[in-house]
Amino acid sequence: MRDPVAPGPAAAGGRLPAAPPEAPQRVWRVVPEKARPTAPAWVVGQIVHGALAAWLFPAETEEGFATWAEAEARSCGLTDEKEIHDAVLRAARMLRRLQAHPLYTEMAQAEQCLHELPYSLVAGEAVENGLLDVLFRDRRGWTLVEFKTDHVESRAALDALLAQEDYVKQVQRYLDAAGRLLGVRPRPVLCFLNCGGEVVPIGDL
């Protein structure tokens, strides 16, 4: 999920802002390079998050996911067929990994499950806009899940990543927002889908 984005003056002026290098949200043409045979990581992440929002998962006997994922990759700007294929395969791998994890079962069996939930909250004189990956409710109450698709080699590398990035603070902001929206603070889960070939959920935040 992306960090909250506050509206800026460019949007008010009707101009399209320049594409951010890390995770563009609109269609930007991605020109294939011979030195980079694989799809950009942000495109894979976009496919994974889109699939989760639609609750769409790959199945061995169906081509529905592959068709949708290929179209999603093209909408992100990919034009090279090998890069598109790579993006679909990597996204499918993470989604199958999640399907085999207990967290998937919790979400699938939840009484209520909300995906890609936008929010706007007034914080002082500013308005904070954000997007929550998943909020689901079961017999234990509400749970907020923030999915990450970063490629992490090991648990040790994950510890280093958490020390470097503000992912925990990001989840704390989402928890505050969800608490204000729901009237109760949900249980947090920061879930890495690509850590040493495993799904690693972190709940003690």
Side-chain angles (χ1 to χ4, degrees):
M1 190 162 68
R2 281 67 61 192
D3 284 332
V5 178
R15 288 188 176 183
L16 188 66
E22 65 278 8
Q25 298 304 306
R26 289 185 172 85
V27 179
W28 307 105
R29 180 175 175 81
V30 179
V31 180
E33 302 174 6
K34 292 182 180 179
R36 190 190 62 196
T38 58
W42 72 264
V43 174
V44 179
Q46 192 86 343
I47 294 173
V48 171
H49 278 90
L52 289 171
W55 205 242
L56 179 64
F57 290 85
E60 294 295 338
T61 58
E62 298 179 5
E63 296 182 356
F65 171 79
T67 301
W68 172 86
E70 288 172 4
E72 188 73 5
R74 289 188 173 90
S75 75
C76 290
L78 293 189
T79 58
D80 182 75
E81 291 300 324
K82 291 183 179 179
E83 287 190 358
I84 292 171
H85 181 67
D86 174 74
V88 173
L89 285 181
R90 286 159 59 194
R93 189 178 302 126
M94 279 187 262
L95 291 166
R96 288 195 181 99
R97 195 176 291 152
L98 176 61
Q99 282 183 290
H101 193 275
L103 180 60
Y104 170 85
T105 303
E106 292 181 28
M107 294 171 59
Q109 296 179 353
E111 300 171 10
Q112 189 174 3
C113 193
L114 307 173
H115 300 268
E116 296 286 313
L117 184 65
Y119 71 85
S120 292
L121 295 175
V122 177
E125 297 182 355
V127 176
E128 178 182 305
N129 299 314
L131 198 64
L132 309 179
D133 273 354
V134 176
L135 268 176
F136 73 87
R137 180 170 59 87
D138 57 17
R139 57 182 176 79
R140 297 172 299 175
W142 286 98
T143 298
L144 180 146
V145 185
E146 165 71 8
F147 287 107
K148 295 299 182 186
T149 58
D150 308 57
H151 174 69
V152 186
E153 292 289 348
S154 63
R155 298 294 183 96
L158 178 57
D159 291 339
L161 179 66
L162 291 174
Q164 178 182 354
E165 301 291 342
D166 67 343
Y167 289 155
V168 174
K169 292 182 179 179
Q170 179 187 9
V171 174
Q172 294 292 344
R173 292 198 303 271
Y174 294 148
L175 286 172
D176 292 341
R180 292 175 63 180
L181 294 171
L182 297 171
V184 60
R185 193 176 179 86
R187 175 178 69 104
V189 177
L190 175 58
C191 184
F192 287 84
L193 298 174
N194 195 18
C195 178
E198 297 179 346
V199 172
V200 177
I202 303 172
D204 186 15
L205 299 174

